[in-house]
């Protein structure tokens, strides 16, 4: 069998600052630990609710809490990390070591509603340069363009880690002996697609332009688009984005009328920015509405939400034009 490049060799080949490689290595190692607990499921008492409501007003699952603790502990133990922020924590946690250079933001277990039904879930990570070794919350509020790395791990049929440091996108598969081995050297998103992902049950609440765009897709070959579309919805952004990175498509979680003051469901710092960085690096587009790039949004709060429309570039343009 051909010898494969492992994550350490890949990071070395990118000539990254040593502290960034250490940070990414710690994040990837935490994903291996989370995978073990996810795959143990009911056998390790990991399923069900934790009984706690998080800062997002969502009931945390036990696995949300466990995954958050694993990432927080392993990252703060890494001398290169200056602080962490998580979808599951109210505020940022600065590291106690004085050598930290990077801020790590994460959604420890994305797609929580999939946990108890053994459907795919994942971990999403964004890395920023720390302005100081004793960071405050304001230091984390950098736009997505400032990210120096983004990755996710998807815990599905295979466990995969997909990474960018701004030099393209590479994919690794977790081997039986716990190594991340490169299986996808340069991931690119095809510009055209016939597949969309959106929670159709919210259709009547969307803005008119989103209704028009989806309606055009649903009319298929008989409508304005002149081609038939397929629809997929895994209900875990990490798995829906993974499919788009593997074969193209668009993913939308738009603003809707029910709560007009709430910009969307997904979180800018933990979901929008890291996924946008990966999608852009793979040649796709990642926007709030087909037009505004997510990476250019200036964050005003740590747990800020945004609408999302990302994926195959020409199809994102169709969303903008609808
Ligand atoms: O983090 C929020 C999230 O779980 C995403 O991963 C996913 O895309 C979405 O919510 C699912 O939303 P819904 O419950 O509307 O299907």
């Amino acid at each position: 069998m051909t010898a494969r490049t492992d994550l350490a060799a890949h990071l070395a080949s990118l000539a990254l600052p040593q502290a960034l490689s250490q940070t990414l290595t710690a994040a990837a190692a935490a994903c291996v630990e989370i995978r073990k607990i996810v795959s143990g499921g009911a056998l390790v008492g990991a399923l069900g609710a934790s009984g706690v409501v998080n800062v997002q007003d969502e009931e945390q699952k036990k696995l949300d809490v466990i995954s958050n603790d694993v990432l927080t502990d392993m990252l703060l133990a890494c001398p290169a990390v200056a602080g962490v922020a998580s979808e599951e924590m109210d505020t940022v946690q600065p590291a106690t070591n004085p050598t930290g250079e990077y801020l790590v933001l994460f959604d420890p277990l994305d797609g929580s509603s999939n946990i108890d039904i053994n459907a795919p879930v994942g971990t999403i990570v964004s890395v920023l340069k720390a302005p100081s070794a004793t960071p405050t919350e304001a230091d984390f509020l950098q736009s997505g363009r400032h990210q120096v790395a983004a990755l996710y791990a998807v815990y599905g049929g295979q466990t995969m880690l997909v990474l960018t440091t701004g030099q393209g996108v590479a994919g690794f598969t977790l081997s039986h002996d716990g190594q991340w081995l490169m299986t996808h050297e340069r991931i690119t998103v095809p510009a055209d697609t016939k597949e969309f992902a959106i929670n159709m049950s919210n259709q009547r609440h969307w803005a008119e332009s989103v209704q028009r765009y989806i309606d055009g897709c649903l009319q298929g070959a008989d409508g304005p688009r002149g081609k038939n579309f397929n629809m997929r919805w895994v209900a875990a952004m990490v798995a829906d984005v993974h499919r788009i990175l593997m074969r193209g498509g668009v993913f939308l979680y738009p603003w809707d009328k029910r709560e007009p003051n709430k910009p969307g469901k997904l979180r800018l710092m933990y979901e929008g920015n890291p996924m946008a960085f990966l999608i852009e690096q793979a040649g796709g587009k990642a926007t709030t509405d087909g037009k505004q790039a997510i990476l250019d949004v200036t964050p005003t709060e740590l747990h800020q939400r945004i609408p999302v429309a990302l994926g195959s570039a020409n199809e994102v343009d169709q969303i903008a034009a609808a």
Side-chain angles (χ1 to χ4, degrees), residues 40-115:
L43 295 177
V44 296
L47 303 189
S50 73
V52 175
V53 172
N54 69 8
V55 61
Q56 320 280 342
D57 239 0
E58 294 164 347
E59 187 178 63
Q60 286 176 322
K61 303 275 185 178
K62 282 185 202 160
L63 262 171
D64 288 322
V65 178
I66 297 168
S67 308
N68 188 61
D69 289 350
V70 169
L71 269 158
T72 304
D73 292 350
M74 290 179 73
L75 286 166
L76 292 181
C78 170
V81 174
V84 298
S86 163
E87 186 179 304
E88 301 297 342
M89 300 193 292
D90 294 6
T91 56
V92 304
Q93 283 209 31
T96 47
N97 74 69
T99 56
E101 293 181 38
Y102 292 96
L103 305 176
V104 188
L105 301 90
F106 46 84
D107 177 354
L109 207 69
D110 177 67
S112 302
S113 67
N114 281 355
I115 293 171

Side-chain angles (χ1 to χ4, degrees), residues 107 110-112 199 233 235-237 251 253 265-267 271:
D107 177 354
D110 177 67
S112 302
N199 184 340
W233 186 249
M237 185 194 198
F251 169 92
Y253 215 115
K265 179 177 186 191
L266 303 181
R267 271 53 57 131
E271 294 166 316

Side-chain angles (χ1 to χ4, degrees), residues 2-14 21 25 28 161 163 170-175 177-185:
T2 329
R4 291 188 181 274
T5 305
D6 67 7
L7 181 63
H10 177 67
L11 294 175
S13 77
L14 296 175
S21 289
T25 304
L161 184 133
L163 165 74
F172 301 81
T173 302
L174 190 65
S175 67
D177 59 354
Q179 292 185 75
W180 292 112
L181 299 180
M182 187 187 277
T183 45
H184 299 68
E185 192 173 345

Side-chain angles (χ1 to χ4, degrees), residues 170-247:
F172 301 81
T173 302
L174 190 65
S175 67
H176 288 306
D177 59 354
Q179 292 185 75
W180 292 112
L181 299 180
M182 187 187 277
T183 45
H184 299 68
E185 192 173 345
R186 186 149 196 121
I187 297 173
T188 54
V189 180
D192 293 301
T193 184
K194 294 180 178 176
E195 197 161 74
F196 66 87
I198 193 165
N199 184 340
M200 282 297 296
S201 68
N202 297 328
Q203 184 173 23
R204 68 192 186 283
H205 306 299
W206 302 329
E208 300 300 316
S209 63
V210 179
Q211 304 238 17
R212 274 195 299 275
Y213 167 70
I214 294 294
D215 190 48
C217 296
L218 293 176
Q219 287 180 53
D222 304 329
R225 302 298 308 279
K227 60 182 183 181
N228 292 324
F229 277 78
N230 187 24
M231 194 202 85
R232 287 285 182 272
W233 186 249
V234 186
M237 185 194 198
V238 72
D240 279 311
V241 169
H242 187 68
R243 183 187 59 257
I244 290 170
L245 284 164
M246 293 296 111
R247 71 177 188 205

